[in-house]
Amino acid sequence: MVSYKELGLVNTREMFAKAIKGGYAIPAFNFNNMEQLQAIIKAAAEEKSPVILQVSKGARNYANATLLRYMAQGAVAYAKELGWENPQIVLHLDHGDSFELCKSCIDNGFSSVMIDGSHLPYEENVALTKQVVDYAHQYDVTVEGELGVLAGVEDEVSADHHTYTDPEEVIDFATRTGCDSLAISIGTSHGAYKFTPEQCTRDPKTGLLVPPPLAFEVLDAVMEKLPGFPIVLHGSSSVPQEYVKTINELGGKLPDAIGIPEEELRKAAKSAVCKINIDSDSRLAMTAAIRKVFHDKPGEFDPRKYLGPARDEMERLYKHKIENVLGSNGKAE
């Protein structure tokens, strides 16, 4: 058993309480490799923003659970090297799909876990979430549950349509499970194709897709039922069109990739939404930067020469999200 406290990490409890009170959201950035981790920590340290390092089941398998633990410990040390005296860094399991996986993460130093039983019948979701909560709370690890289904694909998680969260269920779910935060479905979705062209309109001037608005009425109803309770939005990448354009122009194929408008996320961040998950945007930033190096310097084969620019581009993206979308800069001095 490795406690997250030994690694210098924190859980989400105090972090979320401050975010709700302050009207901002904590960035939850997924990572799979060292370059992504370096970019996240550098951006958070320079912006003095609390940050959640998210790891999916697939990313954990890719990175190796033992290496991941030391990467998290190293991330805290790196943040201090960068001048962040009291780093507020969470290591969080994204979309845990079983009690066994959540337990393994808790036992190996994660400070927060998500158990996603949203695909199960309601009573089974309640029972599974409560089982994880009962184990996690013994070690002061916080737990995120989910009600409602998000469309799209992200690692092992996929659904061809979304089901909005039922506000009538949230009080019962939160009370019976004891979860610390709740991911809800209001129209966000996983991946780089968050909406089909049929769901969007087209800007007559640019020809670009314009996505439909999020269902803020569902969010408002949930907040009315659970005032002050931490709410989470998954699938909240904006899919920056400059990255999509670069990728497509340099040999990629991402037709009609579309994300969540940043103004909608700013609005959500000022509410009880205190954690906003971003994954696809950093993948796009990394891919666009690497493609550009390969295009401009076709003879380059030193990984540092293309992963370095990719890391720099991701850092710029993370800083932009922290400052201009989530408003979490300066909240972890």
Side-chain angles (χ1 to χ4, degrees):
M1 178 78 193
V2 177
S3 168
Y4 70 86
K5 295 173 185 177
E6 297 170 25
L7 307 180
L9 301 167
V10 300
N11 68 23
T12 61
R13 194 171 292 113
E14 184 179 347
M15 192 180 280
F16 285 174
K18 287 182 178 178
I20 293 172
K21 188 175 180 180
Y24 60 91
I26 310 295
F29 297 131
N30 287 68
F31 81 100
N32 303 276
N33 59 27
M34 183 185 75
E35 286 77 17
Q36 285 178 308
L37 181 61
Q38 287 174 313
I40 293 168
I41 295 304
K42 196 168 180 206
E46 291 187 10
E47 294 290 337
K48 294 297 187 289
S49 168
V51 71
I52 296 170
L53 303 174
Q54 289 205 149
V55 181
S56 67
K57 177 182 177 181
R60 188 170 183 250
N61 290 338
Y62 178 82
N64 176 269
T66 303
L67 276 175
L68 194 59
R69 182 173 80 230
Y70 289 105
M71 287 173 79
Q73 189 172 22
V76 174
Y78 179 42
K80 290 179 178 178
E81 270 183 32
L82 292 170
W84 195 8
E85 291 183 16
N86 298 298
Q88 294 179 26
I89 300 172
V90 172
L91 181 62
H92 174 76
L93 171 65
D94 190 23
H95 287 290
D97 60 0
S98 69
F99 170 77
E100 290 73 22
L101 175 60
C102 291
K103 180 180 182 299
S104 176
C105 288
I106 293 164
D107 292 348
N108 280 278
F110 279 62
S111 57
S112 176
V113 295
M114 178 200 187
I115 179 63
D116 182 0
S118 61
H119 58 288
L120 298 171
Y122 179 76
E123 287 298 329
E124 291 181 30
N125 187 4
V126 168
L128 177 60
T129 304
K130 185 178 188 307
Q131 183 184 17
V132 172
V133 168
D134 287 347
Y135 185 78
H137 282 184
Q138 295 178 64
Y139 304 101
D140 201 26
V141 170
T142 41
V143 178
E144 175 185 329
E146 180 165 349
L147 271 177
V149 178
L150 271 68
V153 178
E154 180 186 19
D155 288 356
E156 304 82 9
V157 181
S158 66
D160 57 9
H161 67 282
H162 63 245
T163 304
Y164 287 152
T165 301
D166 182 354
E168 297 301 320
E169 293 178 341
V170 295
I171 296 176
D172 180 71
F173 186 86
T175 303
R176 289 172 61 193
T177 64
C179 65
D180 301 283
S181 61
L182 184 63
I184 65 170
S185 173
I186 62 169
T188 58
S189 61
H190 294 125
Y193 299 91
K194 299 193 181 300
F195 307 99
T196 65
E198 293 73 27
Q199 292 174 300
C200 304
T201 56
R202 282 197 186 270
D203 186 320
K205 293 180 181 178
T206 65
L208 295 176
L209 294 175
V210 179
L214 297 180
F216 278 99
E217 69 276 9
V218 175
L219 174 58
D220 290 342
V222 169
M223 290 193 299
E224 185 180 326
K225 297 287 185 183
L226 287 176
F229 193 82
I231 302 299
V232 176
L233 286 188
H234 284 243
S236 296
S237 282
S238 298
V239 187
Q241 291 303 300
E242 63 267 29
Y243 294 147
V244 174
K245 184 172 183 285
T246 297
I247 291 168
N248 287 338
E249 287 178 346
L250 300 179
K253 194 173 182 181
L254 290 173
D256 292 329
I258 187 76
I260 310 298
E262 288 189 341
E263 57 267 25
E264 300 241 291
L265 297 174
R266 289 189 197 99
K267 180 179 176 182
K270 290 180 170 63
S271 69
V273 173
C274 59
K275 173 176 178 274
I276 292 182
N277 294 10
I278 297 168
D279 185 4
S280 295
D281 283 355
S282 64
R283 296 183 184 195
L284 291 167
M286 187 174 207
T287 300
I290 290 172
R291 280 194 178 274
K292 189 170 189 314
V293 173
F294 286 166
H295 176 269
D296 294 348
K297 301 176 181 178
E300 189 57 72
F301 65 95
D302 182 346
R304 295 169 297 181
K305 297 295 176 63
Y306 52 85
L307 291 176
R311 181 180 60 191
D312 293 343
E313 190 57 48
M314 287 188 290
E315 183 189 339
R316 279 193 286 274
L317 170 75
Y318 295 138
K319 285 182 176 178
H320 167 72
K321 296 292 185 183
I322 288 169
E323 286 183 30
N324 301 314
V325 182
L326 308 179
S328 59
N329 49 311
K331 302 302 191 295
E333 297 290 349

